[in-house]
Amino acid sequence: MKIFLLILLVTILILFCPIPLKIKLNYINKKLEIYIYKKKLNLDKLNQKKELNKEKLEHKSTSKDEKVSKKLFSNIDVKSFIKNLINNRFKINLRFNCNLNYSFPDAAFTAIAFGYSHQLFVLIYGLLKLFFNVNDFKYDVNYEFNKNYINVEIEGIFFISFAKIIYICYLAIKSTKTDKKQVTNLHTVKEDI
């Protein structure tokens, strides 16, 4: 009995305790760097792998597993899935931090961009609030006059639990497309009963 309770407690902890996923994006000196936790993703290798996979796919015929996965994702109604995500009660928690440093050669353009950048962050906050439970949203905008650069550092920490992932998968299944003929046939069968 004690072993069963211990296994049940561990299962509940695994399902419902959030796991932080830290993602960091840096755009400095016209180079994009992506970090997951503190490990840097090499984007050049990813691009090379995609090119190799495209060449292999051209030579190979698609397998049954690939056809099934493509069919599953093609049946999801994107509009209803987004609507379900917006109305989701169990949203993923998010902490967001952004540092924007920029400068333009024209001082007037730099000043105008300063005002628009604050409005941009308000828009980003509104969009994130639709899909996530935003716990902490910080941004810092710094500017210099008469130079030419844009540096952006974005850090997001997603608190994900397996229960929320399962629920999002349920929402994806719930928003799959059904044939109208099947739906009308079901309605006529219900009316006959």
Side-chain angles (χ1 to χ4, degrees), residues 43-81:
L43 298 177
D44 296 332
K45 286 184 180 179
L46 291 176
N47 290 336
Q48 290 173 354
K49 285 181 182 178
K50 284 183 184 178
E51 290 174 7
L52 289 174
N53 287 338
K54 284 181 184 178
E55 291 174 6
K56 288 180 183 178
L57 287 176
E58 289 174 0
H59 297 296
K60 281 186 178 180
S61 63
T62 57
S63 65
K64 289 183 179 182
D65 293 337
E66 291 175 359
K67 289 179 182 179
V68 169
S69 65
K70 286 180 182 179
K71 192 174 183 180
L72 281 173
F73 288 116
S74 66
N75 286 339
I76 292 177
D77 185 20
V78 177
K79 269 182 145 176
S80 65
F81 181 61

Side-chain angles (χ1 to χ4, degrees), residues 3-193:
I3 295 174
F4 174 73
L5 289 176
L6 183 66
I7 292 173
L8 183 68
L9 180 68
V10 169
T11 307
I12 289 173
L13 285 175
I14 289 173
L15 279 176
F16 294 108
C17 286
I19 301 167
L21 175 65
K22 185 176 181 180
I23 298 175
K24 187 175 184 179
L25 302 173
N26 288 339
Y27 181 76
I28 298 173
N29 298 329
K30 298 182 181 179
K31 288 188 178 182
L32 179 66
E33 299 173 343
I34 300 174
Y35 296 90
I36 296 181
Y37 293 107
K38 292 189 177 186
K39 183 172 170 92
K40 181 180 177 182
L41 292 180
N42 193 346
L43 298 177
D44 296 332
K45 286 184 180 179
L46 291 176
N47 290 336
Q48 290 173 354
K49 285 181 182 178
K50 284 183 184 178
E51 290 174 7
L52 289 174
N53 287 338
K54 284 181 184 178
E55 291 174 6
K56 288 180 183 178
L57 287 176
E58 289 174 0
H59 297 296
K60 281 186 178 180
S61 63
T62 57
S63 65
K64 289 183 179 182
D65 293 337
E66 291 175 359
K67 289 179 182 179
V68 169
S69 65
K70 286 180 182 179
K71 192 174 183 180
L72 281 173
F73 288 116
S74 66
N75 286 339
I76 292 177
D77 185 20
V78 177
K79 269 182 145 176
S80 65
F81 181 61
I82 290 174
K83 184 179 175 184
N84 288 336
L85 281 178
I86 290 171
N87 296 328
N88 182 6
R89 292 179 291 163
F90 307 108
K91 295 181 180 181
I92 294 172
N93 295 333
L94 170 69
R95 288 185 187 163
F96 182 85
N97 187 13
C98 181
N99 293 320
L100 172 64
N101 300 313
Y102 71 95
S103 178
F104 296 111
D106 186 13
F109 191 65
T110 303
I112 291 170
F114 182 74
Y116 283 128
S117 64
H118 286 285
Q119 294 302 315
L120 176 69
F121 283 113
V122 170
L123 179 66
I124 290 171
Y125 176 74
L127 289 174
L128 289 175
K129 192 75 175 166
L130 290 175
F131 299 103
F132 300 102
N133 183 14
V134 181
N135 293 336
D136 191 15
F137 187 86
K138 295 179 183 176
Y139 64 92
D140 187 26
V141 179
N142 299 315
Y143 61 91
E144 287 186 63
F145 293 112
N146 301 327
K147 292 184 179 179
N148 193 10
Y149 67 89
I150 296 176
N151 296 335
V152 182
E153 294 180 16
I154 299 173
E155 184 177 316
I157 301 175
F158 300 89
F159 293 93
I160 301 172
S161 66
F162 287 110
K164 290 180 182 180
I165 292 172
I166 292 169
Y167 189 71
I168 290 172
C169 292
Y170 165 73
L171 292 177
I173 292 169
K174 182 179 167 184
S175 60
T176 55
K177 297 177 187 176
T178 56
D179 292 335
K180 291 185 178 181
K181 292 178 183 178
Q182 291 177 348
V183 172
T184 54
N185 289 340
L186 288 175
H187 288 297
T188 55
V189 169
K190 285 181 182 177
E191 290 173 0
D192 292 338
I193 296 175

